[in-house]
Amino acid sequence: MIVCPKCGKELADGTKFCSKCGTSLADVKPAEAPKAQEPKAEAPKAEAPKAEEPKKEAPKAEAPKAEAPKAEAPKAEAPKKEEPKAQEPKKEAPKAEEPKKEAPKAQEPKKEAPKAEEAKTEAPKAEGEGIMSKLPKDLVKYVAIGAAAIVALIILIGLFGGNKGGKHYALYLKDKEIMYSNLKPKGAKQVTAKLSKNGDITNDDFMDEGSVYDCVISDDGKLLFFPDKFERSDDGMNLFVRKLTNLKKEPVKVDSSVETYYVNDKATLVTYRKTTKDLYQYNVKKQDKEKIASEVSKFRVNDDGSRVVYLKSTGELYVWNRKDSEKIDSEVSSLQAVYDKTIYYVKDGTLYKKVGSKDKEKIASDVSSVARIYESGQVYYVKSDDGKVLYYFDGKESSKVLENFGSTYGSTTKNPMLIVSAKESEDDRMPKYYLVVKKDANEMDYEKVGSVRFQSEGKFVYFIADMNNDGDVGDLYKANISGTKLGKADKVDSDVSTRLLSLNSDDKIYYAKDVKNGTGDLYVNKKKLDSDVYVGRVTYSKKTKQFFYLTDYSNGKGTLKVGKSKGKKVMDDVSRFVVLPDGKVLFLYDYSTKYYKGELYLYKGGKPVKLDDEVSDILYVR
């Protein structure tokens, strides 16, 4: 699992963007349950202050890893975005309206199917959690998708699910081309003319590199932005746009050597950076582009594409408003957060806030890291006074919260609230744990606190404490929060694994026990749902209130199951699955790890329906 450093949403390992706020996750590493004995204070991520939870499902393993989020030291960010069972022959041939399934190929070498341990503590939420759908309208988003960012596109599967018309589509690879499906059997259309211009892309490239296959479908489902005519010598991608309502019409080329790009909410503007670090904006209707700046290290775009905040590699920070660029400051070391017209950044160790055309406001100097910035204007930051000291800024003035600060274990997305560790003195070996609400810190009567999951508004919190020496198993507690204090905590369960702890959009807590070799017992609100569940991939559908997961998992394949209180088998020999916003599921069946091909199925209750054969993988779609 990884946690968005800006809004706290929990996402699957390998996810390139946060589905809630659009923050780039390129440099975020999977969180691990901190060891209580030696809390390591890490400075928050440059890109956006560290936060804690929530989830999006990259199709590839959305099972959350219940690990405490960590903040990382601000840095200029570089753009970007399991193991099945060997005992086969048994495969359940789907009985849909398709022809009979052929017998499994026992002779196939058991080369491990592409991995993507997407342990998400909670898949991103949209109509169906685990799907990266539309980014929030009120936030300015950072765009980092493209060559370097999409490192495991084929490994991390995903799809478009849920436009304004309520329809659902899928894009996938077949015969080295991108296919577009309306989820009807044999109804797919080829999108690319020749994805590999020189024919030198292999399935191994799809598995190992997958750096040019990021796609965007407009909200109305009419336009598709996609790569094509890839050449091994190319840097970046050749980016095209075409009408899905008329696939016979030739696509229009946006530009070549595109490294990262963002399509605005109406799909009328594409803001992108090339591998040369030049930043452009393309007008889809006029089919022309405008250069914004050169030497751009990072940029963020508002929802309609009318405002772009960018930081140059030379340290100059600008705002572009489609007419001209306004210089905000120079010698800027990191762009921390952007909310509407408010920009937070660090210069010479000083944290600044700049609102619209007003003069910049100094928040604090000698700042070593930023722990959390809220859209409301409240900030948690760390200074290196005599040791590390945690401060709270209420929008007007700062207050000291804790000395000898250690780590942040979790935070809310809306109200300023954290669970952190700190020592009473620098010489203490064991830290204490605190609930921090605004400027107040209240000690928690627990040791070795690990994974933390806040209810989004901070009404209550789940946490694992009293962990074993390995820091991977402990007791699960739930406590209400009243004002600035933690209420009496009730023990929910014992021997809970930190490998999986997730609080979904319906405030249901699900977790795993007795985890060995990646599989264990799955519990939902204290009730056992199933055994032998692969904890790296558990997804919840808000629409159907069901959980989707794999059991009997080995060598990248397992039995796909669905259930609310008891699991029901969908099909054996499933290697990947994606839950759509309406609760339907796309999955690959009988996947050959030798030829990297399988059969694509759709499950919507009843018998699975086969959509196509010889599918290499389901592509990630924003």
Side-chain angles (χ1 to χ4, degrees):
M1 153 205 95
I2 57 176
V3 178
C4 173
K6 178 173 178 180
C7 71
K9 189 171 187 71
E10 295 180 3
L11 303 160
D13 293 348
T15 302
K16 299 175 293 301
F17 294 100
C18 173
S19 63
K20 179 174 180 60
C21 67
T23 293
S24 166
L25 306 175
D27 297 325
V28 178
K29 301 203 179 341
E32 296 189 4
K35 305 243 184 197
Q37 296 91 332
E38 293 192 344
K40 302 225 189 251
E42 294 183 330
K45 184 160 186 79
E47 167 109 61
K50 180 86 182 166
E52 176 240 1
E53 71 158 325
K55 182 172 216 248
K56 155 195 119 23
E57 174 199 18
K60 205 74 216 150
E62 43 241 329
K65 284 192 181 183
E67 269 107 308
K70 299 188 177 177
E72 295 183 352
K75 34 186 163 181
E77 159 264 10
K80 306 200 148 204
K81 262 187 248 216
E82 307 192 309
E83 326 177 319
K85 210 161 179 21
Q87 59 185 73
E88 252 193 291
K90 264 214 168 148
K91 295 175 182 162
E92 181 186 28
K95 308 185 175 133
E97 50 225 47
E98 273 319 286
K100 284 187 180 175
K101 175 86 202 100
E102 26 192 327
K105 310 172 177 136
Q107 72 274 17
E108 241 168 32
K110 299 259 183 267
K111 184 178 175 185
E112 228 179 55
K115 298 181 176 177
E117 195 141 286
E118 289 270 309
K120 208 37 279 71
T121 82
E122 184 182 355
K125 300 172 180 152
E127 255 284 81
E129 297 171 22
I131 302 299
M132 180 171 271
S133 65
K134 193 170 158 208
L135 298 174
K137 295 235 177 217
D138 53 346
L139 287 181
V140 181
K141 307 168 200 60
Y142 173 57
V143 186
I145 322 240
I150 313 168
V151 180
L153 179 42
I154 299 304
I155 301 176
L156 300 179
I157 59 177
L159 79 167
F160 172 71
N163 54 41
K164 292 177 182 176
K167 297 179 180 178
H168 305 288
Y169 309 97
L171 293 182
Y172 57 90
L173 287 175
K174 178 176 180 176
D175 298 329
K176 301 179 184 179
E177 300 292 351
I178 296 178
M179 308 294 290
Y180 164 82
S181 171
N182 59 2
L183 303 185
K184 301 290 184 183
K186 302 297 181 182
K189 305 291 183 184
Q190 184 171 316
V191 169
T192 48
K194 194 169 183 58
L195 183 57
S196 171
K197 190 173 180 181
N198 298 323
D200 59 351
I201 288 184
T202 67
N203 282 324
D204 284 329
D205 292 317
F206 296 157
M207 299 296 180
D208 300 332
E209 298 174 17
S211 60
V212 294
Y213 305 111
D214 192 49
C215 303
V216 173
I217 295 181
S218 60
D219 284 342
D220 58 11
K222 294 181 179 179
L223 294 177
L224 169 65
F225 298 82
F226 65 100
D228 202 0
K229 300 180 176 64
F230 171 80
E231 292 184 85
R232 179 66 62 194
S233 59
D234 282 351
D235 289 324
M237 70 176 88
N238 294 311
L239 181 63
F240 291 82
V241 58
R242 75 180 313 158
K243 290 184 178 181
L244 290 172
T245 52
N246 184 4
L247 289 173
K248 292 183 179 179
K249 187 174 181 179
E250 286 296 310
V252 176
K253 185 173 182 178
V254 175
D255 208 338
S256 58
S257 300
V258 175
E259 185 179 53
T260 73
Y261 73 102
Y262 170 73
V263 180
N264 72 338
D265 54 0
K266 294 183 179 179
T268 56
L269 298 170
V270 184
T271 308
Y272 62 95
R273 186 182 63 188
K274 302 186 66 168
T275 55
T276 57
K277 306 307 177 187
D278 293 331
L279 184 64
Y280 287 86
Q281 189 168 87
Y282 176 83
N283 187 303
V284 176
K285 185 175 182 179
K286 294 180 180 179
Q287 296 185 13
D288 63 13
K289 63 184 179 183
E290 177 178 357
K291 185 174 180 178
I292 298 174
S294 302
E295 299 182 272
V296 174
S297 61
K298 76 164 62 170
F299 66 97
R300 303 188 185 192
V301 189
N302 69 346
D303 223 44
D304 63 10
S306 63
R307 191 167 182 267
V308 181
V309 178
Y310 63 91
L311 177 63
K312 301 189 70 171
S313 55
T314 49
E316 289 87 9
L317 181 63
Y318 289 87
V319 174
W320 181 77
N321 59 12
R322 303 205 65 204
K323 292 181 180 178
D324 50 38
S325 291
E326 174 192 355
K327 185 175 180 179
I328 302 301
D329 213 334
S330 57
E331 298 181 353
V332 173
S333 57
S334 66
L335 175 59
Q336 287 290 324
V338 179
Y339 292 105
D340 193 23
K341 293 184 179 180
T342 303
I343 304 170
Y344 295 87
Y345 63 93
V346 174
K347 172 182 177 177
D348 296 329
T350 299
L351 177 62
Y352 289 97
K353 173 182 178 181
K354 176 82 166 63
V355 182
S357 58
K358 296 180 182 179
D359 291 339
K360 65 184 180 185
E361 174 187 349
K362 176 181 174 181
I363 295 177
S365 56
D366 300 320
V367 173
S368 59
S369 63
V370 179
R372 188 77 170 84
I373 297 179
Y374 290 87
E375 188 175 0
S376 56
Q378 298 160 101
V379 182
Y380 286 106
Y381 61 90
V382 178
K383 294 182 66 171
S384 296
D385 296 340
D386 294 321
K388 288 190 169 184
V389 182
L390 178 66
Y391 285 83
Y392 167 70
F393 176 72
D394 65 4
K396 294 182 179 179
E397 60 181 13
S398 294
S399 303
K400 182 184 291 188
V401 179
L402 282 171
E403 295 184 347
N404 301 311
F405 171 74
S407 298
T408 299
Y409 288 73
S411 66
T412 55
T413 56
K414 297 181 180 178
N415 301 319
M417 200 175 293
L418 313 171
I419 285 183
V420 303
S421 65
K423 295 180 181 180
E424 291 188 336
S425 72
E426 289 185 6
D427 298 328
D428 286 341
R429 291 189 57 218
M430 297 297 293
K432 293 183 180 296
Y433 300 89
Y434 298 84
L435 170 69
V436 176
V437 180
K438 296 184 177 178
K439 64 180 180 179
D440 296 314
N442 291 284
E443 185 178 341
M444 299 169 62
D445 191 21
Y446 298 92
E447 296 182 352
K448 298 182 180 179
V449 173
S451 301
V452 173
R453 300 291 175 265
F454 275 101
Q455 190 266 348
S456 61
E457 296 176 349
K459 294 179 180 178
F460 57 84
V461 62
Y462 283 93
F463 59 92
I464 295 177
D466 304 325
M467 294 189 297
N468 61 8
N469 291 332
D470 292 331
D472 58 2
V473 172
D475 295 333
L476 177 63
Y477 294 89
K478 177 185 178 182
N480 291 325
I481 298 171
S482 177
T484 62
K485 298 195 175 178
L486 193 70
K488 181 180 179 302
D490 296 320
K491 183 186 284 191
V492 176
D493 212 336
S494 301
D495 301 321
V496 175
S497 173
T498 57
R499 289 286 305 275
L500 173 61
L501 180 68
S502 182
L503 185 65
N504 63 31
S505 57
D506 292 324
D507 290 339
K508 289 183 178 179
I509 190 76
Y510 56 100
Y511 54 92
K513 297 180 63 173
D514 300 322
V515 176
K516 295 177 182 176
N517 299 320
T519 63
D521 298 335
L522 175 63
Y523 285 78
V524 179
N525 286 352
K526 298 173 65 173
K527 295 183 179 179
K528 185 175 177 179
L529 177 59
D530 212 334
S531 301
D532 194 27
V533 175
Y534 174 59
V535 300
R537 300 194 56 190
V538 178
T539 304
Y540 177 71
S541 169
K542 182 178 179 181
K543 181 74 173 179
T544 64
K545 314 295 183 187
Q546 294 175 310
F547 290 88
F548 295 83
Y549 54 92
L550 296 172
T551 63
D552 195 27
Y553 187 75
S554 177
N555 299 320
K557 299 179 184 179
T559 298
L560 177 61
K561 288 188 175 182
V562 58
K564 294 181 180 179
S565 57
K566 184 178 180 181
K568 172 188 174 183
K569 184 170 84 169
V570 175
M571 190 180 291
D572 292 322
D573 198 19
V574 172
S575 58
R576 304 163 186 58
F577 70 90
V578 174
V579 180
L580 297 170
D582 60 359
K584 296 184 179 72
V585 181
L586 277 175
F587 63 88
L588 284 178
Y589 167 74
D590 191 23
Y591 191 83
S592 166
T593 57
K594 178 180 180 180
Y595 301 105
Y596 302 125
K597 294 178 181 179
E599 298 173 6
L600 180 64
Y601 277 82
L602 174 68
Y603 173 76
K604 47 186 177 181
K607 297 178 181 178
V609 177
K610 184 161 76 170
L611 301 182
D612 209 345
D613 294 297
E614 300 188 334
V615 173
S616 296
D617 220 319
I618 306 169
L619 289 186
Y620 181 89
V621 182
R622 286 188 283 137

